[in-house]
Amino acid sequence: MCYSCKLIAYAKPKCVTSPNMTEFKFFFYPMASERSSYPVKIVLNKQRISSQWSDEEIAVEEDSQPQPTDVEQRAETEPILIKDEETAEDVWKTDLQEELRITGEESGSKSGKPPSFEQRHFDEDFITQPNISPEESVEHYPNSDGPEEPGTSRLTSEVFSTEQHRPAEDEDSLELVMVKDEKKEELGQTTALAGLDQFVMDETDGQLWTSVDPGRHTDGHPDFSFHATEEYSQNISIFPSQSVLPSVPTMTDDVWPLLPSSIGKPHADMLSAAAHMKKHVRTLADETRQQMPEGQSSEMLNSNNDGNSLALQPSQHQHRASEATVRMSECMTGSNMATTSTFSGYSLSRSSFNMVKRMRTQWRSGGTTERRFSCTFCGKSFQRFSQLKVHLRSHTGEKPYTCEQCGRSFTKQCNLIRHAVVHSGEKPYECTQCGKCFTQRSSMKSHQRTHIGESPVSQHVVPAYPGDPHTSLMLSQTKWSK
DNA sequence: CTATGCCCCGAACAATGA
DNA sequence: TCATTGTTCGGGGCATAG
């Protein structure tokens, strides 16, 4: 959102124009007044505390917007279910270009088909915010002088969720189309097709789409989430030359009256405003990059945008989505994922999807490398994908195996089996020297080391477990070192 | 190849005794 | 209070079955 040009912007994938090209729409919505900035509350930043809002925002919020709204509550409680349109096998067959194509396909809604829950949430997730429809953005702006019914929510979960809402966008918003072009040689053609209101982008990497943590501020103002990439921001070219101007699609008169007077109909101010938004694109993308932990931005952010979910979770997880969940935004910010369970772990599926594909590529090209699967979270490598899959649970907080007696969950089934002795009281491991029993073998072995300690002479000569440096180290560092 | 189970180490925490 | 010991669990390596 720009407080200078009074525009609110966000991007949304539009459709697939060719196997190598995906269109994205930039929607710019006018702010009717300074006070109209208050709808940024609609950003649904659930993590931000109220004290972070300005006094004015709080005042407005208290006056006219009972909280939390139903939508906010729903967003907090309902899991994000991402529809998987590809089988795992298909995923393996795709290459990076296909991935881009998929990104466009999955983002495109099926016209004439009611939005499914998954699709709706996907779109919400992708758009991230602002979660306000163009129609409402006009209706509820205080400047519109429209009487606002008490209790009327400014929010809607259906906003922009499907193509069915597009007419409203076309009517009330200034629509800019961004064309994601994968091949530079097609740039000229794309430019010709794009016209004035299209951004021609160049792509050099398959991991491009990012999103901004909605919980951030920009210049002291609430931040609208934003989807773009640093590559895009670097190469973004709005109205590169005046020569493009003749190709400007004519904006309908239905649109222009809704824009702030400073923007008006297509003229120099419009170009200035667009150039201004370009600056925002770049700024926000840079901020996004800086915010992300190093080495994670591409994977993590990219995962938030589409619905290609690779079912990395075991089947049990489908019954325990509420248990093995993770808040995607927290993944993006690197906070503790395991301790906060709000959204379904499926929100990470895209990340896994990209990661797995990358790993497979690495495996194919790497040949006979010892460690073929690397975790993009921590960089740890594994010989087998199944090992990595289990390892990923430590990052996602997924614990698919739950004890029926105490409800505690575990990342591995063997851990659950091992845990069962806690309830049964069974101590199957007995010390051969003293007869004391233990629940775990490692506990018994640890105990047996104490027996070895009873013989200070032998502890250096005959370790409890020959070849076990840990034993020798323990002995040298404990009582015998005194 | 994946799924599964076993084994292991290490960390965190609690209980206990000097 | 501190060191020691025991308990519990997380997580990696590996073997094996399918």
Side-chain angles (χ1 to χ4, degrees):
Chain A
M1 177 170 57
C2 175
Y3 285 84
S4 300
C5 61
K6 309 294 190 298
L7 282 180
I8 303 169
Y10 73 90
K12 180 180 179 64
K14 182 181 179 182
C15 62
V16 176
T17 56
S18 76
N20 297 323
M21 190 179 302
T22 304
E23 288 188 2
F24 293 86
K25 286 184 179 179
F26 268 5
F27 296 105
F28 289 173
Y29 296 103
M31 294 164 48
S33 68
E34 281 296 321
R35 190 167 181 263
S36 68
S37 62
Y38 81 90
V40 295
K41 176 66 174 67
I42 299 168
V43 166
L44 295 180
N45 176 15
K46 294 175 283 295
Q47 293 179 329
R48 184 166 56 184
I49 59 177
S50 59
S51 61
Q52 294 176 277
W53 295 91
S54 65
D55 294 340
E56 176 183 350
E57 290 167 341
I58 294 175
V60 172
E61 189 178 18
E62 291 174 351
D63 290 341
S64 59
Q65 195 166 6
Q67 57 176 319
T69 66
D70 293 340
V71 175
E72 288 173 329
Q73 290 176 335
R74 224 175 62 183
E76 291 178 353
T77 56
E78 290 186 359
I80 297 176
L81 301 178
I82 300 176
K83 184 177 181 179
D84 189 358
E85 296 183 352
E86 274 189 306
T87 64
E89 184 63 26
D90 291 336
V91 170
W92 293 121
K93 295 176 181 178
T94 58
D95 54 21
L96 289 177
Q97 286 193 348
E98 284 178 308
E99 178 179 346
L100 289 171
R101 178 176 56 81
I102 290 168
T103 301
E105 287 175 349
E106 62 202 6
S107 61
S109 303
K110 277 60 176 184
S111 59
K113 183 178 180 180
S116 63
F117 175 82
E118 294 82 357
Q119 179 67 36
R120 186 169 68 245
H121 278 265
F122 153 65
D123 282 336
E124 291 173 0
D125 193 31
F126 181 93
I127 297 172
T128 307
Q129 314 307 336
N131 201 357
I132 181 171
S133 70
E135 183 177 357
E136 288 186 339
S137 66
V138 174
E139 287 181 355
H140 295 296
Y141 278 153
N143 228 25
S144 65
D145 294 330
E148 182 176 347
E149 298 180 5
T152 300
S153 173
R154 290 189 179 87
L155 311 178
T156 171
S157 61
E158 305 293 338
V159 174
F160 304 144
S161 60
T162 69
E163 294 289 345
Q164 295 172 329
H165 296 276
R166 293 297 173 84
E169 298 169 358
D170 295 337
E171 294 175 2
D172 298 338
S173 67
L174 168 61
E175 176 181 318
L176 299 178
V177 178
M178 181 175 67
V179 178
K180 183 168 67 174
D181 189 356
E182 295 187 356
K183 297 181 179 179
K184 285 188 176 181
E185 52 268 31
E186 297 179 6
L187 185 64
Q189 177 185 355
T190 305
T191 304
L193 294 173
L196 175 62
D197 62 337
Q198 294 187 358
F199 302 158
V200 180
M201 301 299 172
D202 179 61
E203 177 175 338
T204 57
D205 189 352
Q207 312 293 334
L208 288 178
W209 282 98
T210 65
S211 63
V212 171
D213 186 344
R216 296 172 56 252
H217 290 260
T218 301
D219 297 332
H221 296 290
D223 174 37
F224 275 95
S225 292
F226 173 83
H227 290 77
T229 69
E230 54 188 278
E231 288 83 356
Y232 286 170
S233 66
Q234 291 164 0
N235 297 315
I236 188 168
S237 175
I238 307 174
F239 319 143
S241 67
Q242 295 295 325
S243 61
V244 186
L245 287 176
S247 64
V248 175
T250 302
M251 297 295 291
T252 64
D253 290 340
D254 294 337
V255 173
W256 300 112
L258 299 175
L259 296 175
S261 59
S262 62
I263 298 177
K265 290 200 174 188
H267 54 47
D269 287 349
M270 184 63 229
L271 299 178
S272 175
H276 198 82
M277 294 310 298
K278 169 187 172 182
K279 183 182 68 177
H280 297 323
V281 167
R282 182 173 300 165
T283 300
L284 291 173
D286 290 342
E287 291 177 0
T288 303
R289 182 176 61 251
Q290 294 173 2
Q291 181 188 9
M292 290 301 300
E294 185 175 359
Q296 293 187 10
S297 58
S298 178
E299 289 288 351
M300 300 293 292
L301 292 176
N302 197 34
S303 67
N304 197 24
N305 297 343
D306 62 36
N308 270 291
S309 168
L310 181 62
L312 290 177
Q313 297 78 9
S315 57
Q316 297 94 320
H317 177 53
Q318 297 177 7
H319 306 292
R320 305 187 186 96
S322 61
E323 297 171 357
T325 58
V326 61
R327 184 188 291 271
M328 187 60 201
S329 60
E330 294 181 0
C331 298
M332 296 164 61
T333 57
S335 59
N336 190 336
M337 294 170 289
T339 56
T340 304
S341 300
T342 301
F343 291 116
S344 168
Y346 289 105
S347 60
L348 275 180
S349 297
R350 180 57 180 176
S351 178
S352 301
F353 168 79
N354 291 329
M355 178 167 51
V356 166
K357 286 173 61 177
R358 182 171 297 178
M359 289 184 304
R360 184 174 179 87
T361 302
Q362 184 180 14
W363 171 63
R364 283 170 170 169
S365 59
T368 59
T369 55
E370 184 70 16
R371 307 286 184 180
R372 294 175 298 180
F373 301 97
S374 297
C375 174
T376 56
F377 289 92
C378 64
K380 192 176 180 66
S381 298
F382 299 89
Q383 295 179 355
R384 303 180 184 280
F385 173 67
S386 58
Q387 295 174 336
L388 172 62
K389 192 169 64 174
V390 175
H391 167 77
L392 285 174
R393 294 172 187 165
S394 64
H395 295 295
T396 63
E398 178 193 1
K399 295 181 178 181
Y401 306 99
T402 303
C403 175
E404 295 181 355
Q405 298 190 40
C406 65
R408 180 159 185 167
S409 299
F410 301 90
T411 57
K412 297 197 299 184
Q413 188 176 10
C414 59
N415 289 340
L416 173 60
I417 296 173
R418 184 179 59 184
H419 163 79
V421 302
V422 175
H423 301 295
S424 64
E426 181 184 8
K427 294 184 177 180
Y429 303 100
E430 181 179 358
C431 176
T432 56
Q433 294 187 254
C434 67
K436 190 172 183 178
C437 297
F438 301 88
T439 58
Q440 296 182 16
R441 185 188 301 271
S442 60
S443 298
M444 182 193 67
K445 289 184 177 181
S446 178
H447 161 76
Q448 287 179 333
R449 293 188 182 109
T450 64
H451 291 307
I452 297 173
E454 294 173 355
S455 176
V457 177
S458 62
Q459 55 95 13
H460 287 297
V461 179
V462 184
Y465 303 98
D468 183 3
H470 177 72
T471 302
S472 300
L473 182 63
M474 276 192 61
L475 292 171
S476 62
Q477 290 179 343
T478 54
K479 60 181 68 177
W480 308 116
S481 62
K482 292 179 180 178

